[in-house]
mmCIF file of all heavy atoms in Angstrom:
data_model
loop_
_atom_site.group_PDB
_atom_site.id
_atom_site.type_symbol
_atom_site.label_atom_id
_atom_site.label_comp_id
_atom_site.label_asym_id
_atom_site.label_seq_id
_atom_site.Cartn_x
_atom_site.Cartn_y
_atom_site.Cartn_z
ATOM 1 N N THR A 300 -105.675 -132.545 -112.331
ATOM 2 C CA THR A 300 -105.403 -131.764 -113.531
ATOM 3 C C THR A 300 -103.958 -131.989 -113.947
ATOM 4 O O THR A 300 -103.118 -132.342 -113.139
ATOM 5 C CB THR A 300 -105.627 -130.261 -113.254
ATOM 6 O OG1 THR A 300 -105.376 -129.526 -114.443
ATOM 7 C CG2 THR A 300 -104.683 -129.747 -112.182
ATOM 8 N N GLU A 301 -103.709 -131.783 -115.191
ATOM 9 C CA GLU A 301 -102.328 -131.902 -115.653
ATOM 10 C C GLU A 301 -101.651 -130.557 -115.501
ATOM 11 O O GLU A 301 -102.168 -129.535 -115.917
ATOM 12 C CB GLU A 301 -102.308 -132.336 -117.122
ATOM 13 C CG GLU A 301 -102.792 -133.772 -117.322
ATOM 14 C CD GLU A 301 -102.660 -134.200 -118.773
ATOM 15 O OE1 GLU A 301 -102.001 -133.473 -119.529
ATOM 16 O OE2 GLU A 301 -103.215 -135.235 -119.133
ATOM 17 N N ALA A 302 -100.482 -130.572 -114.896
ATOM 18 C CA ALA A 302 -99.755 -129.324 -114.689
ATOM 19 C C ALA A 302 -99.224 -128.811 -116.020
ATOM 20 O O ALA A 302 -98.867 -129.572 -116.903
ATOM 21 C CB ALA A 302 -98.599 -129.541 -113.720
ATOM 22 N N VAL A 303 -99.212 -127.494 -116.151
ATOM 23 C CA VAL A 303 -98.645 -126.878 -117.347
ATOM 24 C C VAL A 303 -97.163 -126.656 -117.089
ATOM 25 O O VAL A 303 -96.786 -125.919 -116.178
ATOM 26 C CB VAL A 303 -99.338 -125.523 -117.637
ATOM 27 C CG1 VAL A 303 -98.740 -124.882 -118.868
ATOM 28 C CG2 VAL A 303 -100.839 -125.736 -117.810
ATOM 29 N N ALA A 304 -96.317 -127.306 -117.813
ATOM 30 C CA ALA A 304 -94.884 -127.273 -117.529
ATOM 31 C C ALA A 304 -94.221 -126.050 -118.153
ATOM 32 O O ALA A 304 -94.564 -125.613 -119.236
ATOM 33 C CB ALA A 304 -94.231 -128.529 -118.071
ATOM 34 N N ILE A 305 -93.275 -125.508 -117.419
ATOM 35 C CA ILE A 305 -92.420 -124.451 -117.938
ATOM 36 C C ILE A 305 -91.041 -125.069 -118.129
ATOM 37 O O ILE A 305 -90.525 -125.701 -117.218
ATOM 38 C CB ILE A 305 -92.329 -123.270 -116.958
ATOM 39 C CG1 ILE A 305 -93.720 -122.632 -116.806
ATOM 40 C CG2 ILE A 305 -91.305 -122.250 -117.389
ATOM 41 C CD1 ILE A 305 -93.751 -121.520 -115.785
ATOM 42 N N PRO A 306 -90.451 -124.947 -119.295
ATOM 43 C CA PRO A 306 -89.147 -125.566 -119.528
ATOM 44 C C PRO A 306 -88.137 -125.156 -118.461
ATOM 45 O O PRO A 306 -88.007 -123.992 -118.129
ATOM 46 C CB PRO A 306 -88.746 -125.017 -120.910
ATOM 47 C CG PRO A 306 -90.044 -124.665 -121.562
ATOM 48 C CD PRO A 306 -90.957 -124.229 -120.467
ATOM 49 N N GLN A 308 -88.278 -125.668 -115.341
ATOM 50 C CA GLN A 308 -88.845 -125.431 -114.003
ATOM 51 C C GLN A 308 -88.594 -126.643 -113.109
ATOM 52 O O GLN A 308 -88.861 -127.767 -113.500
ATOM 53 C CB GLN A 308 -90.359 -125.201 -114.149
ATOM 54 C CG GLN A 308 -91.050 -124.856 -112.846
ATOM 55 C CD GLN A 308 -90.656 -123.480 -112.365
ATOM 56 O OE1 GLN A 308 -90.330 -122.625 -113.148
ATOM 57 N NE2 GLN A 308 -90.656 -123.299 -111.069
ATOM 58 N N ASP A 313 -94.133 -128.739 -108.367
ATOM 59 C CA ASP A 313 -95.345 -129.517 -108.568
ATOM 60 C C ASP A 313 -96.165 -129.434 -107.295
ATOM 61 O O ASP A 313 -95.667 -129.756 -106.217
ATOM 62 C CB ASP A 313 -95.019 -130.987 -108.874
ATOM 63 C CG ASP A 313 -94.360 -131.131 -110.235
ATOM 64 O OD1 ASP A 313 -94.541 -130.207 -111.052
ATOM 65 O OD2 ASP A 313 -93.670 -132.137 -110.454
ATOM 66 N N VAL A 322 -108.474 -126.954 -112.388
ATOM 67 C CA VAL A 322 -108.038 -126.735 -113.762
ATOM 68 C C VAL A 322 -107.963 -125.264 -114.147
ATOM 69 O O VAL A 322 -107.138 -124.880 -114.949
ATOM 70 C CB VAL A 322 -108.962 -127.491 -114.747
ATOM 71 C CG1 VAL A 322 -108.730 -128.970 -114.634
ATOM 72 C CG2 VAL A 322 -110.425 -127.175 -114.474
ATOM 73 N N TYR A 324 -107.300 -122.670 -112.101
ATOM 74 C CA TYR A 324 -106.449 -121.838 -111.262
ATOM 75 C C TYR A 324 -105.243 -121.353 -112.055
ATOM 76 O O TYR A 324 -104.658 -122.085 -112.854
ATOM 77 C CB TYR A 324 -105.900 -122.649 -110.086
ATOM 78 C CG TYR A 324 -106.692 -122.522 -108.834
ATOM 79 C CD1 TYR A 324 -106.816 -123.596 -107.978
ATOM 80 C CD2 TYR A 324 -107.310 -121.325 -108.492
ATOM 81 C CE1 TYR A 324 -107.537 -123.503 -106.811
ATOM 82 C CE2 TYR A 324 -108.033 -121.214 -107.332
ATOM 83 C CZ TYR A 324 -108.150 -122.303 -106.498
ATOM 84 O OH TYR A 324 -108.863 -122.207 -105.349
ATOM 85 N N THR A 326 -101.345 -120.429 -111.825
ATOM 86 C CA THR A 326 -100.205 -120.807 -110.983
ATOM 87 C C THR A 326 -98.949 -120.194 -111.592
ATOM 88 O O THR A 326 -98.976 -119.618 -112.682
ATOM 89 C CB THR A 326 -100.029 -122.335 -110.905
ATOM 90 O OG1 THR A 326 -99.586 -122.811 -112.180
ATOM 91 C CG2 THR A 326 -101.318 -123.033 -110.498
ATOM 92 N N ILE A 327 -97.844 -120.391 -110.905
ATOM 93 C CA ILE A 327 -96.569 -119.879 -111.419
ATOM 94 C C ILE A 327 -96.207 -120.543 -112.743
ATOM 95 O O ILE A 327 -95.465 -119.988 -113.556
ATOM 96 C CB ILE A 327 -95.458 -120.086 -110.373
ATOM 97 C CG1 ILE A 327 -94.258 -119.191 -110.680
ATOM 98 C CG2 ILE A 327 -95.066 -121.552 -110.250
ATOM 99 C CD1 ILE A 327 -93.255 -119.127 -109.542
ATOM 100 N N LYS A 328 -96.772 -121.744 -112.973
ATOM 101 C CA LYS A 328 -96.444 -122.484 -114.189
ATOM 102 C C LYS A 328 -97.212 -122.005 -115.416
ATOM 103 O O LYS A 328 -96.736 -122.138 -116.538
ATOM 104 C CB LYS A 328 -96.704 -123.970 -113.982
ATOM 105 C CG LYS A 328 -95.702 -124.635 -113.045
ATOM 106 C CD LYS A 328 -95.918 -126.129 -113.041
ATOM 107 C CE LYS A 328 -94.827 -126.841 -112.258
ATOM 108 N NZ LYS A 328 -94.952 -128.302 -112.344
ATOM 109 N N ASN A 329 -98.438 -121.489 -115.190
ATOM 110 C CA ASN A 329 -99.229 -121.106 -116.367
ATOM 111 C C ASN A 329 -99.484 -119.605 -116.441
ATOM 112 O O ASN A 329 -100.359 -119.160 -117.179
ATOM 113 C CB ASN A 329 -100.563 -121.870 -116.389
ATOM 114 C CG ASN A 329 -101.404 -121.635 -115.155
ATOM 115 O OD1 ASN A 329 -101.297 -120.591 -114.512
ATOM 116 N ND2 ASN A 329 -102.241 -122.602 -114.821
ATOM 117 N N THR A 330 -98.716 -118.828 -115.665
ATOM 118 C CA THR A 330 -98.870 -117.371 -115.674
ATOM 119 C C THR A 330 -97.546 -116.725 -116.068
ATOM 120 O O THR A 330 -96.512 -117.004 -115.461
ATOM 121 C CB THR A 330 -99.290 -116.862 -114.275
ATOM 122 O OG1 THR A 330 -100.520 -117.495 -113.909
ATOM 123 C CG2 THR A 330 -99.488 -115.352 -114.277
#
Side-chain angles (χ1 to χ4, degrees):
T300 181
E301 291 184 12
V303 179
I305 296 176
Q308 184 70 28
D313 291 339
V322 289
Y324 265 146
T326 70
I327 198 168
K328 289 188 173 185
N329 58 27
T330 301

